DNA sequence: TACCAGGATGTTG
DNA sequence: CAACATCATGGT
C-alpha cells in the first residue's frame, strides 16, 4: 500500500463542485472521472505518472500514484500540478463579497460555493482546445480533440484502459495540413493548429513570456498567431495564465448563461455584457467560469 | 429544412 | 469600417 499524498484545500473549496465541472463531458479524453474520483496521466522527466484524486473526509485532496512509487521530485511535481489545476491558492473571498451584490453573479456565486477555476496548466493545450472549439458545437469539438490526442499524444495502458497525454507542440509543428484534415479538421483549423504549434515549439510563445506581460500585451502577442483572435487569447489567458481579468466576452456559452440567469428573451449583446460586467474588475475570469458552470444545471 | 454551435479571417461595399 | 461569406459537421 503506497502512502497517499494529501493536499490541504482552502476553506472556500468544494470537491463536488470541481468534480461536476471536470466530469462535465463523457467525451473527455484527457482524464477520467467516476465514483467521485479523478484519474489523470502526467508525464514528468520521461516517466508516466498516473494520478488518482479524491476528497478526504476533511474535504482535502488525496492523491494516489496508481502505477509507480514516486520519488520526492515526482511527488512535488504532482502536487504542484494538482494545486494549479484546481486553483487552490487563490483567495476567492473578495470574489464572493462583490458577487453577492452583483445582479448577474449573485445567485451563481452562492449556488456553486467552493468551485475553483479549473485550469489548463499546459499552454499548448490551452491554445489548441479553444481553436478546436471555434464555431462548432462542443460535442464535435470533443471528438476532434479525441482524434487529435489519440493520434499524436502519448498513450499509457493501465487497469484495462488507455490514458493519454496531450500532444507536444514539437510533434504537431512538423505535420502537414492533410494529417489533420483527414480527421475532420477544417482547412482553417488544421492551419491554425499547426501555426500555433510552431509558435510554441519555437519559443515565440511560452508561459514564462506571457506571464511577464500585461493583459493587453499578452493578448496582442497571442493574436499575432494566425487563428487566435480575441476570444481564444482570453480563453488561454484565463485557463492557463490565470489572469484574473481575462474575459472571453464573445463566448456564446457566456451569452447563453446570462440570458438564462436574467431570463432574457434574446442573448445579450456585447455592449449589454460590458455594461453588466462593469464591476467585475479583478474577477472577470472567475465570473465567466461561474457562469459557464451554470450551463451544466 | 434551416439555423446555430464555447470564432477567425478574408473580401466586399 | 461594417457587413457578409466561408469553414465542416453535429445537434435540434
Amino acid at each position: 500500500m503506497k502512502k497517499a499524498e494529501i493536499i490541504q484545500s482552502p476553506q472556500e473549496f468544494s470537491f463536488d463542485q470541481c468534480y461536476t465541472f471536470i466530469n462535465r463531458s463523457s467525451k473527455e479524453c484527457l482524464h477520467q472521472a467516476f465514483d467521485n474520483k479523478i484519474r489523470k496521466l502526467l508525464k514528468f522527466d520521461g516517466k508516466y505518472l498516473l494520478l488518482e484524486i479524491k476528497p478526504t473526509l476533511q474535504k482535502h485532496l488525496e492523491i494516489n500514484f496508481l502505477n509507480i512509487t514516486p520519488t520526492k521530485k515526482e511527488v512535488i511535481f504532482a502536487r504542484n500540478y494538482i494545486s494549479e489545476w484546481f486553483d487552490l491558492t487563490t483567495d476567492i473571498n473578495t470574489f464572493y463579497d462583490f458577487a453577492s451584490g452583483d445582479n448577474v453573479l449573485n445567485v451563481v456565486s452562492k449556488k456553486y460555493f467552493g468551485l475553483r477555476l479549473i485550469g489548463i496548466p499546459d499552454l499548448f493545450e490551452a491554445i489548441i482546445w479553444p481553436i478546436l472549439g471555434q464555431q462548432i458545437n462542443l460535442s464535435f469539438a470533443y471528438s476532434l480533440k479525441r482524434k487529435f490526442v489519440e493520434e499524436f499524444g502519448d498513450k499509457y495502458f493501465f487497469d484495462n484502459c488507455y490514458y493519454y497525454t496531450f500532444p507536444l507542440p514539437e510533434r504537431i509543428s512538423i505535420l502537414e495540413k492533410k494529417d489533420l484534415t483527414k480527421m475532420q479538421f477544417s482547412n482553417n483549423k488544421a492551419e491554425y493548429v499547426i501555426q500555433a504549434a510552431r509558435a510554441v515549439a519555437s519559443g515565440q510563445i511560452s508561459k514564462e513570456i506571457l506571464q511577464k506581460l500585461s493583459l493587453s500585451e499578452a493578448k496582442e502577442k497571442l493574436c499575432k498567431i494566425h487563428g487566435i483572435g480575441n476570444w481564444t487569447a482570453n480563453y488561454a489567458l484565463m485557463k492557463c495564465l490565470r489572469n484574473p481579468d481575462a474575459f472571453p466576452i464573445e463566448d456564446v456559452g457566456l451569452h447563453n448563461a446570462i440570458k438564462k440567469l436574467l431570463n432574457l428573451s434574446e442573448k445579450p449583446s456585447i455592449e449589454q455584457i460590458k455594461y453588466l460586467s462593469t464591476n467585475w474588475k479583478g474577477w472577470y475570469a472567475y465570473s465567466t467560469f461561474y457562469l459557464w458552470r451554470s450551463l451544466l444545471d
Side-chain angles (χ1 to χ4, degrees):
Chain A
M1 188 66 180
K2 297 163 195 155
K3 186 169 79 71
E5 290 291 325
I6 306 295
I7 301 183
Q8 301 287 319
S9 61
Q11 197 69 37
E12 301 76 24
F13 173 77
S14 161
F15 183 87
D16 290 344
Q17 287 299 337
C18 295
Y19 182 85
T20 299
F21 183 83
I22 284 174
N23 193 29
R24 70 194 177 286
S25 172
S26 59
K27 304 182 81 171
E28 176 60 61
C29 60
L30 291 173
H31 60 254
Q32 297 211 3
F34 57 93
D35 294 343
N36 218 32
K37 296 181 287 194
I38 300 158
R39 287 184 177 182
K40 183 160 185 69
L41 180 67
L42 302 180
K43 198 173 183 183
F44 177 66
D45 209 11
K47 198 163 146 190
Y48 293 109
L49 314 178
L50 182 58
L51 308 183
E52 185 171 87
I53 304 143
K54 58 185 175 184
T56 67
L57 289 176
Q58 297 76 27
K59 308 293 183 188
H60 295 303
L61 287 174
E62 176 178 328
I63 308 175
N64 284 285
F65 292 76
L66 299 184
N67 63 326
I68 56 156
T69 300
T71 66
K72 286 182 182 174
K73 280 186 178 179
E74 287 158 357
V75 168
I76 291 171
F77 174 78
R79 293 180 69 99
N80 287 340
Y81 185 92
I82 300 301
S83 179
E84 183 177 351
W85 191 20
F86 285 81
D87 193 33
L88 297 179
T89 58
T90 299
D91 181 352
I92 57 177
N93 278 300
T94 54
F95 170 64
Y96 289 138
D97 286 345
F98 107 82
S100 67
D102 185 274
N103 289 332
V104 181
L105 303 170
N106 176 28
V107 173
V108 294
S109 65
K110 293 177 175 62
K111 192 171 180 184
Y112 311 125
F113 182 86
L115 173 66
R116 318 294 296 195
L117 201 170
I118 304 301
I120 303 178
D122 175 45
L123 177 65
F124 186 51
E125 182 187 342
I127 290 173
I128 297 304
W129 171 232
I131 290 177
L132 296 187
Q134 287 171 5
Q135 180 51 22
I136 56 175
N137 60 69
L138 272 177
S139 175
F140 185 46
Y142 275 111
S143 25
L144 288 181
K145 182 167 91 163
R146 175 175 291 277
K147 292 176 192 176
F148 183 70
V149 167
E150 289 182 350
E151 179 71 21
F152 302 113
D154 278 3
K155 177 162 61 169
Y156 184 79
F157 188 73
F158 181 87
D159 196 12
N160 209 29
C161 70
Y162 285 105
Y163 295 85
Y164 295 90
T165 59
F166 197 75
L168 296 176
E170 291 76 11
R171 175 77 183 92
I172 306 306
S173 66
I174 58 174
L175 296 182
E176 296 173 35
K177 277 209 295 186
K178 66 174 169 53
D179 297 321
L180 296 174
T181 52
K182 72 185 179 191
M183 47 178 74
Q184 292 182 296
F185 284 49
S186 65
N187 275 303
N188 282 341
K189 270 197 209 317
E191 179 70 24
Y192 298 165
V193 165
I194 293 170
Q195 290 302 321
R198 290 179 182 163
V200 178
S202 69
Q204 176 192 337
I205 297 284
S206 71
K207 242 170 138 169
E208 292 70 27
I209 290 172
L210 294 174
Q211 201 82 59
K212 292 174 183 164
L213 300 178
S214 70
L215 178 58
S216 59
E217 289 169 337
K219 276 193 280 198
E220 199 176 326
K221 191 160 184 67
L222 282 169
C223 288
K224 281 180 181 163
I225 300 170
H226 197 54
I228 298 186
N230 194 59
W231 176 81
T232 303
N234 275 288
Y235 185 96
L237 292 169
M238 166 184 168
K239 296 276 279 185
C240 184
L241 279 298
R242 295 191 169 283
N243 189 306
D245 286 324
F247 187 34
I249 193 169
E250 304 88 348
D251 185 78
V252 172
L254 177 73
H255 304 171
N256 286 330
I258 293 174
K259 173 176 181 285
K260 190 169 111 184
L261 279 172
L262 300 185
N263 199 22
L264 307 175
S265 55
E266 300 294 335
K267 282 185 294 185
S269 68
I270 298 292
E271 287 309 313
Q272 281 177 285
I273 297 172
K274 281 182 181 171
Y275 173 73
L276 291 169
S277 63
T278 307
N279 297 320
W280 294 6
K281 186 153 180 57
W283 296 103
Y284 278 100
Y286 252 89
S287 301
T288 301
F289 195 71
Y290 267 63
L291 291 171
W292 283 348
R293 165 65 183 85
S294 72
L295 295 170
L296 301 176
D297 288 343

